Every structure is written in structure tokens, then in C-alpha cells.
Amino acid sequence: MGIPPRVLTVAGSDSGGGAGIQADLKTMLALGVHGMSVLTAVTAQNSRGVQGAWELPAEAVRAQFRSVVDDIGVQAVKTGMLASAELVETVAGLLAEIGARFGAPVVVDPVGVSKHGDALLAASALDAVRTKLLPAATVATPNLDEVAWLTGVRVRAESDLRRAADAVLSYGPRWALIKGGHLAGDAVDLLTDGTEEHWLRAVRHDNRHTHGTGCTLASAIAARLARGRSVPEAVADAKDYVTGAIAAGFPLGGGIGPVDHGWRFRDHQD
């Protein structure tokens, strides 16, 4: 039996199972890679929002990383909720090691707030994200709120996406994927390295149950990169996967339900 590609997620836990580490591992399973995790924070979270969040000590993050990487190795990494400036700097240092040892691509989802508007990263961490984390990214995947937080650029129309991408690229990632899902009309994203441009469009599904969309997309990109796809191929494949997951998103609890990470398997169930 062949060994599947190994993908590491460095992120927080969502106790409701729709986003965070839980969404990452479901996505990785669905896309045929072996998911591994370094937990950075624990949240008390459900379909209505985040009721509490507790970051782990940097020592615990480093220990998890050492356990996984030194024994199992890694072929791609995805980062999500990092909670504080100390953890951002800790993780950025670990990512530099992964690049040197394995040459593994890194997908950075610069998580700032939850879908419900709850803060998931300390305001004091902004400089560390800009100067430490983004330069380590093969692909950075900010949504429009995160673009504004990182760069000050406010995207109000599709024509603003290129300016937003240039601003994100100025902090050092090789590629920027600017997610335009909050704009009106079709769901359009711009992927660029400053030279190539790839515009990705999908029909917008009328479904409010979209919790975990950003985590799922970033994890899907990492999974495809681990399987040897180029960045444009990986992002296009991931966009197709998350579009299907959004279409199949389902109600859970009394608020916003999750996307369906297993939507491709539903037709095969009894």
C-alpha cells in the first residue's frame, strides 16, 4: 500500500467541527492526503459564534511540531488561527525550518476573525503576520476583511482585487489569492504572483451555511500542492472542491452551519 502525501495543519480547534483543525483534517481526508496537526488554540465554538478561546503555550506548539516533523515528515503545510504575536513568530520560525529541510510549500490563511465576527488573533500580532508569517508563504489566502486589516486596502468591486493583491504581495508571499466571496455577483477570486494572473469564478450558491469556508479552501490548496500540483492548478482544484462544499452546506445548531467536506461521497452512501 502506498503512503499518501502528508500535510500538516497548524491552527486552532473548533469544538463545533465546522472550521479550524477539524475542517482541515476532513478536507485532507476527502482529498486523499494524510492530515497531521499542530494545535495552537482551543475555542469553545458552535454555530452561533465563539464563546471562549485559549491559546496554547509556544512550548506546546513547538513540541507538537517536533513530534510530527522529526518522525513523519511533511510535504505541505497550512496555517490558520495563530492567536498571538508570540505564536505567529514561533510558527514562522518552524515554517522556515520546514522550507530548509523539506522544501514543502506553505499555505497561509491569515485568520483574524471568525465568520461571526469574533476576534481570533490579537491586534498586537499584526506586525508579526506582515513581517514574519507572510514572507514564509507559498500562497497567502486572505479574504477581503483580512486584506483591509493587513494592508489598509478596501475592496469594494472586482476592479479593486488587483490592487489588493499587489498590497499583499508586498509583504513577501510568492502568490496571493484574494478571495472575493464577499462581493456581489459571482464568487470571483484573483490568484497572482505579480506577473501571472488567474481569475477564478464560480456561481454563487444561495446557502447561508458556509462556516469553515476559508479553512477548507486553504487546506484543499495544501492538499493539492502535496500531490504535486502547481500553484495555479492547486488553487483551481481547491476552488472547485470548496464550491461543491458550500453548495452542500447544511444547517447545524441555531446559527450558521458548516460546509460539507464530504459532499463528493454522498452519492455513494446507502
Side-chain angles (χ1 to χ4, degrees):
M1 180 180 294
I3 300 173
R6 292 141 291 165
V7 181
L8 177 64
T9 170
V10 183
S13 168
D14 173 1
S15 55
I21 289 281
Q22 288 83 351
D24 297 339
L25 295 178
K26 292 173 187 178
T27 299
M28 292 170 190
L29 177 64
L31 296 181
V33 300
H34 176 70
M36 307 171 295
S37 61
V38 170
L39 197 63
T40 60
V42 176
T43 69
Q45 186 172 173
N46 55 28
S47 69
R48 296 181 183 275
V50 178
Q51 291 77 48
W54 301 266
E55 68 180 84
L56 271 65
E59 178 184 1
V61 171
R62 281 191 291 266
Q64 292 174 81
F65 175 88
R66 290 265 70 84
S67 293
V68 171
V69 171
D70 291 350
D71 176 49
I72 300 173
V74 63
Q75 290 166 293
V77 184
K78 176 259 179 181
T79 72
M81 176 186 178
L82 300 182
S84 68
E86 181 184 15
L87 289 186
V88 170
E89 293 177 3
T90 297
V91 170
L94 297 173
L95 294 177
E97 179 180 335
I98 282 179
R101 288 179 61 185
F102 300 100
V106 174
V107 181
V108 169
D109 186 16
V111 175
V113 297
S114 75
K115 183 170 292 294
H116 301 89
D118 303 294
L120 298 176
L121 183 70
S124 59
L126 176 58
D127 187 59
V129 171
R130 287 170 170 165
T131 62
K132 305 289 186 182
L133 190 63
L134 288 178
T138 306
V139 189
T141 65
N143 62 30
L144 300 188
D145 290 337
E146 290 157 352
V147 167
W149 174 67
L150 289 167
T151 71
V153 173
R154 298 199 174 274
V155 176
R156 294 181 173 85
E158 186 177 316
S159 58
D160 296 325
L161 291 175
R162 185 176 288 114
R163 182 165 57 93
D166 289 343
V168 172
L169 288 172
S170 72
Y171 291 111
R174 285 176 48 200
W175 293 82
L177 175 64
I178 309 301
K179 300 179 295 189
H182 294 167
L183 297 174
D186 289 346
V188 57
D189 306 327
L190 171 60
L191 172 71
T192 180
D193 64 353
T195 302
E196 295 182 37
E197 284 188 356
H198 302 268
W199 293 84
L200 300 102
R201 298 178 184 276
V203 174
R204 184 179 301 280
H205 295 288
D206 184 18
N207 186 357
R208 66 187 290 264
H209 300 298
T210 57
H211 184 50
T213 304
C215 303
T216 299
L217 179 64
S219 294
I221 295 170
R224 290 310 195 195
L225 290 173
R227 297 189 71 87
R229 304 292 197 275
S230 68
V231 169
E233 290 171 337
V235 171
D237 287 351
K239 173 87 167 179
D240 288 343
Y241 170 74
V242 80
T243 298
I246 290 170
F250 52 89
L252 200 66
I256 298 174
V259 300
D260 186 351
H261 302 93
W263 65 273
R264 287 177 169 168
F265 307 127
R266 298 303 179 219
D267 292 341
H268 304 292
Q269 294 182 345
D270 294 333

